[in-house]
Amino acid sequence: MTVEKIDTLVIGAGQAGIAMSEHLSKHDIPHIVLERNRIAEQWRTGRWDSLVANGPAWHDRFPGLEFEAHDPDSFVPKEKVADYLVDYAKKFDAPIRTGVEVSNVERNTKGQGFIVETSQGTIEATRIISATGPFQIPVIPPIAKNEKITQIHSADYRNPEQLEEGAILVVGAGSSGVQIADELQRSGRKVFLSAGPHDRPPRSYRNRDFCWWLGVLGEWDRESQEPGTEHVTIAVTGAHGGNGTVDFRVLAHQGITLLGRTKAFANGKATFEKDLNDNVERGNKNYMDFLDLADAYIERNDLNLPEEPTARDVLPDPECMTHPILELDLAEAGITSIVWATGFALDYNWLNVNAFDENGKPAHQRGISTEPGVYFIGQAWLSRRGSAFIWGVWHDAKHIAGHISTQRTYTAYKDASQR
């Protein structure tokens, strides 16, 4: 049986795999990209129907191609993002093979590199790059496993019509949870939103988008999270044309009932922590601090950007904050479904190499792992805050490709007796 051999094998053809392929091509590094589905499949079928990019078109893209037929300040629908990634791969003829699933990677004990088992045969690769992304296994806490009620993860949510009639409990106050709760409420549903600790930056401020502010303030390039913020979500959305900052008091006055963090379920009842007001206030402080930083930057650089006097207005506390609900009878509240917007776990069961820490997470420095020849790309905070975004992954890929090119230079060296 013939075994295919390749210098570098990239697993995954989403934005990370495509960016990686471009930079490998620039260095003339022979490589193949394997994708078990279609190119950028997660953008097509791993998101809800109305999702748009969380950043404007001028920002959430690769440097070498703009979004056609989209205003630079618009927020591109998910299908168009997927189309963009397909077009980008065609732009440099990326060697992508779709419909190929990788089942196992392990060190080649009889030679250099790795043995890779796929649905279409065995490949020997000198190097392996995991570009499988941060959204791999939907996580649903087991606290409601005994409740006889429809439960889905945000990864499986598509639209309001998908859920049976009745009220809905959305658990999770990051970007996904907020957008889904808002869409459900606007469709006429009664919605309860369980909100944990969160940051809520302005969508825009003084004529500049949030993404621009993160750039000029140096936040995109920040290399590590602040201690204690690892489990704090960020609530920001490009929905409704990017017209509006996420504000939990606004959501409540709109008709959504806010709750603290979900604590437990028992006998058809849900209980919640007493932290709702603290969480909302924490988010509000984060928002105000951001405005302070932006104002200071404008003054320091003598920029002529318009004042926005209403940006610091705060609505009165809604009833769900003045009288927080700590226990909810699901049947009495008419709740027929729970949407868990509770994040994802990583899955590297296929990658059987010594490239992980004691918690099973990739052990690496800027994507270069502790296992020689193994690399990671596309993960959140891989090298900086922007690493999981389209433009950020492109820069991480450039660094990794440069490292591989250097390594190839050393291995190609011949001493005087070999020349």
Side-chain angles (χ1 to χ4, degrees):
M1 181 177 178
T2 303
V3 175
E4 184 176 10
K5 297 185 178 182
I6 191 69
D7 183 280
T8 300
L9 188 65
V10 182
I11 317 298
Q15 59 203 41
I18 292 169
M20 199 69 252
S21 181
E22 179 185 9
H23 288 293
L24 292 171
S25 297
K26 288 179 177 179
H27 284 282
D28 295 321
I29 298 172
H31 69 282
I32 301 169
V33 182
L34 300 183
E35 168 56 52
R36 63 184 177 183
N37 297 303
R38 295 175 294 176
I39 294 173
E41 183 70 25
Q42 282 298 307
W43 277 102
R44 298 191 190 279
T45 58
R47 309 285 195 275
W48 60 94
D49 295 345
S50 65
L51 179 72
V52 298
N54 256 2
W58 67 263
H59 187 266
D60 275 9
R61 64 177 180 85
F62 291 137
L65 184 67
E66 296 184 0
F67 282 96
E68 292 186 5
H70 287 279
D71 184 278
D73 294 314
S74 66
F75 295 83
V76 180
K78 67 183 186 74
E79 286 285 345
K80 297 300 182 182
V81 174
D83 291 344
Y84 170 89
L85 293 171
V86 171
D87 291 342
Y88 199 88
K90 291 178 180 177
K91 182 172 173 284
F92 62 93
D93 196 23
I96 297 173
R97 298 180 188 174
T98 57
V100 184
E101 184 165 9
V102 174
S103 57
N104 188 62
V105 175
E106 59 186 40
R107 177 66 71 177
N108 185 355
T109 58
K110 298 179 180 179
Q112 67 173 344
F114 304 88
I115 302 294
V116 182
E117 301 297 337
T118 82
S119 57
Q120 293 188 7
T122 302
I123 299 174
E124 290 185 9
T126 305
R127 277 164 279 271
I128 299 293
I129 302 176
S130 171
T132 51
F135 307 119
Q136 296 176 21
I137 302 179
V139 172
I140 296 181
I143 57 176
K145 63 181 180 181
N146 296 323
E147 296 299 319
K148 296 180 179 180
I149 187 172
T150 299
Q151 301 182 50
I152 65 170
H153 192 271
S154 58
D156 299 312
Y157 171 78
R158 294 297 174 265
N159 54 60
E161 291 71 32
Q162 170 192 12
L163 301 176
E164 59 189 281
E165 292 295 322
I168 299 159
L169 170 62
V170 178
V171 181
S175 294
S176 296
V178 166
Q179 291 178 66
I180 291 171
D182 177 64
E183 177 174 86
L184 289 167
Q185 193 276 329
R186 288 172 184 260
S187 75
R189 299 298 191 93
K190 174 62 179 173
V191 176
F192 297 83
L193 176 60
S194 173
H198 59 269
D199 287 346
R200 60 170 201 93
R203 173 69 268 177
S204 64
Y205 180 58
R206 297 184 70 170
N207 240 18
R208 292 292 185 271
D209 186 80
F210 165 62
C211 291
W212 186 87
W213 282 115
L214 286 186
V216 299
L217 294 174
E219 284 295 303
W220 282 127
D221 290 326
R222 183 151 56 88
E223 295 181 355
S224 62
Q225 293 175 279
E226 295 176 7
T229 64
E230 294 83 3
H231 301 292
V232 175
T233 59
I234 297 179
V236 64
T237 174
H240 316 301
N243 294 319
T245 294
V246 172
D247 187 328
F248 286 83
R249 286 183 173 88
V250 170
L251 292 174
H253 284 286
Q254 177 181 311
I256 294 174
T257 300
L258 303 179
L259 306 162
R261 281 183 298 178
T262 303
K263 187 195 308 186
F265 289 83
N267 303 317
K269 294 182 179 180
T271 54
F272 304 92
E273 303 284 358
K274 300 178 182 179
D275 61 356
L276 173 61
N277 287 9
D278 289 342
N279 294 335
V280 173
E281 282 306 316
R282 177 211 163 94
N284 200 57
K285 182 180 185 305
N286 169 260
Y287 169 82
M288 295 297 182
D289 288 348
F290 196 101
L291 300 192
D292 290 343
L293 289 172
D295 285 340
Y297 180 87
I298 290 170
E299 182 176 358
R300 186 168 64 251
N301 291 279
D302 194 26
L303 300 182
N304 184 23
L305 295 178
E307 296 279 351
E308 198 171 327
T310 62
R312 295 177 184 271
D313 292 350
V314 178
L315 289 176
D317 286 352
E319 184 178 356
C320 57
M321 288 182 64
T322 57
H323 298 86
I325 298 171
L326 301 180
E327 183 179 271
L328 198 61
D329 186 298
L330 301 179
E332 287 183 5
I335 295 173
T336 57
S337 303
I338 302 175
V339 178
W340 296 92
T342 42
F344 297 79
L346 300 176
D347 179 13
Y348 289 109
N349 287 330
W350 54 274
L351 188 54
N352 294 300
V353 297
N354 187 27
F356 302 94
D357 63 19
E358 63 276 8
N359 298 315
K361 294 183 178 180
H364 68 91
Q365 180 68 31
R366 295 186 66 183
I368 302 164
S369 86
T370 53
E371 174 78 46
V374 175
Y375 302 83
F376 296 95
I377 183 76
Q379 296 298 324
W381 293 93
L382 188 86
S383 69
R384 69 195 88 183
R385 180 174 181 166
S387 286
F389 294 81
I390 293 177
W391 72 269
V393 81
W394 189 90
H395 290 283
D396 284 344
K398 182 179 181 180
H399 172 73
I400 292 172
H403 180 273
I404 292 174
S405 180
T406 300
Q407 292 301 303
R408 280 168 50 85
T409 299
Y410 284 120
T411 57
Y413 172 78
K414 292 180 172 56
D415 63 33
S417 66
Q418 297 171 311
R419 293 179 197 136

